[in-house]
Amino acid sequence: MDFLLQVKLGALIGLLFLTLVIGFIPARVRWFRDTNGTETHRTVLSLISCFAGGVFLAACLLDIIPDYLSDINAELDARKFETNFPLPEFIMASGFFAVLIVERIVLNCKEVRSPRGETEALLPGRNGHGHRHGHAADGDLEGSGHHVHVDFQAHSPFRSFMLFLSLSLHSVFEGLAIGLQSTDSKVLEICIAILVHKSIIVFSLSVKLVQSAVGPLWVVAYITVFALMSPIGIGIGIGVMEAQLAAGPLIQAILEGLAAGTFVYITFLEILPHELNSPGKQLLKVVFILLGFSIMAGLTFLG
């Protein structure tokens, strides 16, 4: 076994172990799972959720989409594929609409099968955690001095799964970046960058999962599978280096585009609206969203 392969295997094991440790902090610490605490406790949880929203926004705009556009344009140029149609953006939009269509089908099936009383039990704020997040009724908040838009499905298990899926696909591509390197110094450089980036991502993902209607065992399963994604990507990258697949980079770029569209949907239609449409501490929420975004932007700027 040559030294380069040893370094890649070391990066694989290190990413797996540290991602599991950091991801299980919110999942195992009761403080993060307790949604029936004091008003201060709920406010802190909401601000942590806003911080996670800023992290995901930065990951979407500064990491996932630029990586995808760079990869797909490089592949199209290499194959001398010329068209006036914005194909890279169309692929990303396809991922967006795929999630939208599937989610609407799932919600429509729930409405058809469940009477209104049963449907209400599925709504955020009336799940097993008893967490309301300030939501009151569909549409506007009646009987109060102001109107608050309500998103009943903001923390649905389906959206939690799609968030997990899009992040997992991106983690596979991050692992591929390590597995496809040809020098040990570049492997270590990318591994450290991904480790810092992924630590914040997995912590934020775990926070969103424990605040949703997803059961504890499913949270553990999601975090475990998510932790495995980058090592799987490293393994695939090593295999591609050995097999020398000609179409491999193009297939990767297309999958990146679908994952990017999925992430756009989850970020802008689930994570941010959920917190910003909840009443109270609006300016402080914006500050924490900016804080999460700024930290990820700083990490991206530092390379």
Side-chain angles (χ1 to χ4, degrees):
M1 181 184 298
D2 61 19
F3 182 69
L4 177 60
L5 183 56
Q6 292 178 9
V7 173
K8 290 181 179 180
L9 292 177
L12 186 155
I13 296 172
L15 277 174
L16 175 62
F17 176 75
L18 291 175
T19 303
L20 283 173
V21 170
I22 296 172
F24 281 138
I25 292 175
R28 301 304 300 170
V29 176
R30 184 177 179 181
W31 190 90
F32 289 97
R33 293 180 283 121
D34 183 11
T35 55
N36 291 318
T38 63
E39 181 64 28
T40 300
H41 178 260
R42 290 194 295 270
T43 299
V44 171
L45 283 178
S46 178
L47 293 178
I48 291 175
S49 185
C50 288
F51 176 86
V55 168
F56 290 131
L57 178 62
C60 179
L61 296 179
L62 305 181
D63 185 6
I64 295 177
I65 293 178
D67 283 355
Y68 157 64
L69 292 176
S70 174
D71 291 345
I72 190 68
N73 285 323
E75 287 304 309
L76 293 178
D77 289 343
R79 287 165 171 75
K80 295 181 172 54
F81 182 84
E82 297 182 3
T83 177
N84 292 326
F85 184 75
L87 184 60
E89 290 77 8
F90 178 80
I91 293 173
M92 193 164 61
S94 298
F96 179 95
F97 284 113
V99 181
L100 175 64
I101 293 170
V102 171
E103 183 187 48
R104 292 303 106 182
I105 291 174
V106 170
L107 296 179
N108 184 69
C109 290
K110 279 185 178 181
E111 292 176 358
V112 171
R113 290 185 301 172
S114 303
R116 179 167 180 80
E118 294 180 10
T119 302
E120 288 177 350
L122 297 171
L123 304 179
R126 302 188 184 187
N127 56 34
H129 301 292
H131 192 191
R132 291 187 62 99
H133 263 301
H135 298 299
D138 196 6
D140 291 335
L141 186 65
E142 300 295 342
S144 66
H146 60 281
H147 298 285
V148 179
H149 174 73
V150 177
D151 181 7
F152 275 143
Q153 299 295 335
H155 269 340
S156 70
F158 176 80
R159 286 189 174 181
S160 296
F161 173 75
M162 294 311 300
L163 173 63
F164 153 79
L165 182 62
S166 60
L167 284 171
S168 295
L169 286 174
H170 186 60
S171 292
V172 172
F173 302 136
E174 287 180 332
L176 272 171
I178 295 177
L180 293 173
Q181 297 307 311
S182 57
T183 63
D184 55 287
S185 59
K186 194 65 176 176
V187 169
L188 291 174
E189 177 185 333
I190 296 177
C191 182
I192 292 172
I194 290 176
L195 182 58
V196 175
H197 165 266
K198 193 172 182 181
S199 297
I200 300 174
I201 289 288
V202 73
F203 185 87
S204 301
L205 173 64
S206 185
V207 168
K208 302 303 291 186
L209 289 174
V210 298
Q211 292 179 2
S212 71
V214 177
L217 291 179
W218 281 107
V219 173
V220 172
Y222 281 169
I223 296 301
T224 301
V225 173
F226 179 71
L228 289 169
M229 290 298 104
S230 287
I232 288 174
I234 295 175
I236 294 173
I238 294 173
V240 169
M241 288 285 286
E242 297 295 327
Q244 298 293 323
L245 294 177
L250 179 60
I251 295 172
Q252 174 190 336
I254 292 174
L255 290 176
E256 280 181 337
L258 296 175
T262 298
F263 204 78
V264 168
Y265 181 90
I266 296 299
T267 301
F268 291 98
L269 271 71
E270 193 272 322
I271 296 173
L272 295 179
H274 176 67
E275 292 300 336
L276 294 178
N277 288 337
S278 302
K281 309 289 185 183
Q282 292 297 317
L283 291 180
L284 197 55
K285 288 179 179 181
V286 172
V287 168
F288 271 79
I289 291 173
L290 287 173
L291 179 62
F293 183 92
S294 298
I295 289 177
M296 290 296 290
L299 291 174
T300 301
F301 178 77
L302 294 174

